[in-house]
Amino acid sequence: MPVLSLKTELDVAELLLTNGWFPEEINGVLVFPLPRAAFHQIDNHNHPITGSDVIKATVATPTTLYRARQLLESAGWLDRELDSLLKPCVYTLDPWAGQTIRPVSIAGPVNTNCSHSTKTLRLRRYRWTMALRRILSLAFVILLVLMTVFFLP
C-alpha cells in the first residue's frame, strides 16, 4: 500500500535554512514561493518586514537546483516528493532537445520560379549589406572612443 507523503514547502525551507541557505535562494528553488511570515515562523529571527509580504526569489540556476536536490536526497527525501516541491530543471543534458528546425529565408519568401543565379545574387547582396553594417557600427564605436579620449581629459 503506498504511503501518502505530507511533506510541504515549509519542510524544504526548514531543512535548507538549517544548512545555511538564504530565503531568497529557497524561494528560487521552490515551485511555490513562501511568504516572509513563513520564514519568520521557521527561523525565529527578527527580520524587518518591508514592502510586500513575499520575498523576491532569485533565479534558480541548474547548480542551485542540483545542490538543493542532493541535500534533500541525502536527508532521505524521495524523488517523487522532490519533483512536486522543487522547480524542474529546464536545462537538460541535451540543450537542443526542445528546439525545432525551420528553414531560414534570408530575403523574404523564396520564389520557386527564381533561377539559381538570382538566389545567389540575393544572398551575396545580403552578405554585403550585413558586412557594411558591421563595419560602420565598428567605425562609429571607434569614433566615440576617440572623441571621449580627446575631449574629456
Side-chain angles (χ1 to χ4, degrees), residues 52-64:
S52 66
D53 192 41
V54 177
I55 296 174
K56 293 182 180 178
T58 58
V59 178
T61 62
T63 306
T64 310

Side-chain angles (χ1 to χ4, degrees), residues 70-90:
Q70 290 299 316
L71 184 67
L72 292 168
E73 283 177 355
S74 67
W77 289 54
L78 302 174
D79 282 335
R80 67 171 185 250
E81 296 168 342
L82 296 176
D83 290 339
S84 65
L85 295 173
L86 298 180
K87 287 182 181 177
C89 185
V90 295

